[in-house]
Amino acid sequence: MNVKNGGGFAIPVQAPAPLPADELLSLREIDSFTEELLTQPEVEPRLRTICDFWVPARADWALVTLTEHPSGVLKIAAIAHRDAQRGNALLERLRGQPYKPQDRLFSSEASGEIALRLQFGDRHIGVLHLGIPPAEPVNAQLLERIASRSAVGLHNAQLFEQQRKIALSFQNAALTTELPRIEGLRFDAVYEAGQAEALVGGDWYDAFAVADGRIVLSVGDVAGSGLEAAVAMTSVRQAIRGVAQVHPDPAVMLAAAERTLRLQHKDLLVTAFVAVLDSVTQECAYANAGHPPPLLRTEDGAVRALRIGRPPLGLWEFGSRFIVHHAHVPPGSLLLLFTDGLTEATRDILEGESRLRAALEASDILVYDNVARRIHEVVLGQRSLDDVAILSVRIESAREVWRWRLDPMWADAAARVRTEIRAILAAEAFSAPHQTDFEVIFSELMSNMLRFAPGTAEVILEQHGEDFVLHVLDKGAGFLFVPQLPPDLFSESGRGLFLIANLSRDFSVVRRPGGGSHARVVLLQKDGATQ
Amino acid sequence: MSEAISGPEAGSAIVIKLLGGEYDLARKDALLEELLPARSASRVILDCADVAFMDSTALGCLIGLKRAMIERDPKSEIRLLALRPPIERLFRIAGLSKVFEIVTVE
């Protein structure tokens, strides 16, 4: 702590001595100053608190300069004057400029000038300049203590703002992913960082297509705020993304998120909702870990909440499983995923929820170009104290697909469908070897059905962007696919599904909600893609 | 259609020209029947020139044949002649290019 003589007074620097009774007053003053200083975390309100302490009660004017990094130049950050208007005018003119006492900004004053160095550890935070009337007795200890508290308060506020800035840009960078563009579907999203005293939180939303054309949706909220929450948010979100590429199953994706959280951020709690949307079957499979359930607006305009799930990630017992629920989402449906900032803005969750429902039930909601933005406007208006993430998914029209029904028992029927599909692929410029690959794949799927799921199958061919996806849906007991060769080279069976996986870009089998299996194969169409 | 090769190794070497067409689950029994004469041989040459299609069921039948042969004579071998490239690729992907001798004829 350094007390410099900047103007008319010499301030003696004393070693702290036992406080005489008359200094108890200043102790109380220091306490109330400190309390006031801590009410707001940002730099600007703290500067105001510091100036208000001095002006007008104890000084004619006050001026604070802060050290700019990395130049080390002191620049004016706050000015207060007994004449408030004059103070404001000066600040407006001089903010961000270096302060030169020789400019004699306050030359008309009769007061002398004291300069107090604001120091925290080895960090030079800035300088507090005060214009103190000569008649005023100067309590050196009070000066010293207030300056010291001011330095700490400003230092912490600077750290706070720095962290907030980093977290915000981190989160913005992580969240600005392009939403998928898929025929028949419409995605819109809003993310708003919390304002006022709230820190940047760990809210996220995500939507992307996996290889076979299914859409993975996720939304979540990391409890806590700041950089750690933002970092945890991205690692959890990426865990979900990564697993989705190999196994887009909501329960598996949440399990991966849970493990990631435990390994990397074991003290944090995360609520998350994950869904897999299949626009071909118009089914949405989802799982929820403590997140506010998304709302589904059905084609008749009714709104219902999806089923709730288990506790948040981070609270899980090992070995417990996530339950996957299903919702039917025909054209005309609208899914709304959101974080609790949307419903808790009024500090009355029930009111927030009913406001949200009403907004979604509104008959004109589908007219709006950006449903997520519209919901944000109606429910929150301008107030968003907390972080808010909203993702809306509209199912606008059914996918146009080729469809067949057949029983593989009848070899002729299977052969006919195979020929028809091959003709379609040939017309779509599939190379001859890849047409053959398709035939192998089709044959393997039919054989597999005959073995495990006798009965009628539904075969669907779908174009998804450039890719063609072959779907085979059966009603059998379901089979599991392990993408490995049989361990015994001489095994006579167990190669069929392996062949499919190796002749295709992507192959997966999932259990259907009503029983049975759904195999999806993304066909290869050009040479040189696989070996 | 099969014919035994006459000569010093008669009875142990056999050439079978597969009927051809598409071999899948629906023709499993037919394929097994075609391969029947080979089960007692220790060298089999399968002429696949007319085979347009094979799936894993057909591969399984060929593996079954090889097993039966090895049980009697561990040095047994099956040569596949004139496999069309897409089918040859299937053998490679299924990890069977070591189990069978694939003879490419230019």
Side-chain angles (χ1 to χ4, degrees), chain A residues 411 415 418 433-434 436-441 443-444 446-448 450-451 485-486 488-493 495-499 502-503 524 530-531, chain B residues 22-26 28 52-68 70 86-87 89-96 98-99:
Chain A
R418 197 176 79 192
H434 286 120
T436 309
D437 287 351
F438 153 73
E439 292 193 301
V440 174
I441 289 165
S443 168
E444 298 299 346
M446 291 302 122
S447 306
N448 206 67
L450 279 178
R451 287 192 197 104
L485 274 175
D488 172 11
L489 201 54
F490 287 92
S491 164
E492 288 168 50
S493 62
R495 282 191 173 78
L497 302 182
F498 178 80
L499 281 182
N502 279 274
L503 294 173
L524 289 165
T530 191
Q531 271 308 307
Chain B
E22 301 181 343
Y23 289 97
D24 57 13
L25 187 62
K28 184 179 179 181
F53 181 81
M54 271 189 179
D55 72 359
S56 67
T57 311
L59 301 189
C61 293
L62 293 180
I63 294 166
L65 171 62
K66 172 97 185 207
R67 287 178 76 133
I70 288 177
I87 304 177
R89 184 162 153 253
L90 215 58
F91 276 85
R92 231 170 339 114
I93 290 174
L96 295 175
K98 292 187 206 82
V99 177

Side-chain angles (χ1 to χ4, degrees), chain A residues 158-168 199 226-227:
Chain A
Q158 283 174 333
L159 282 184
F160 171 88
E161 288 190 355
Q162 202 178 353
Q163 200 199 35
R164 180 191 161 97
K165 199 171 144 201
I166 294 168
L168 194 61
L199 266 164
L227 194 55

Side-chain angles (χ1 to χ4, degrees), chain A residues 101-116:
Chain A
Q102 62 270 27
D103 285 353
R104 307 199 65 77
L105 292 175
F106 311 97
S107 55
S108 60
E109 317 299 335
S111 53
E113 181 173 341
I114 305 172
L116 294 161

Side-chain angles (χ1 to χ4, degrees), chain A residues 413-432:
Chain A
R416 207 183 58 241
V417 172
R418 197 176 79 192
T419 310
E420 283 181 32
I421 297 179
R422 184 174 175 148
I424 294 170
L425 299 181
E428 293 287 346
F430 268 57
S431 70

Side-chain angles (χ1 to χ4, degrees), chain A residues 59-79:
Chain A
D60 289 329
W61 55 266
L63 183 147
V64 184
T65 59
L66 293 175
T67 311
E68 188 190 69
H69 291 286
S71 65
V73 176
L74 288 162
K75 293 192 167 169
I76 295 173
I79 301 176

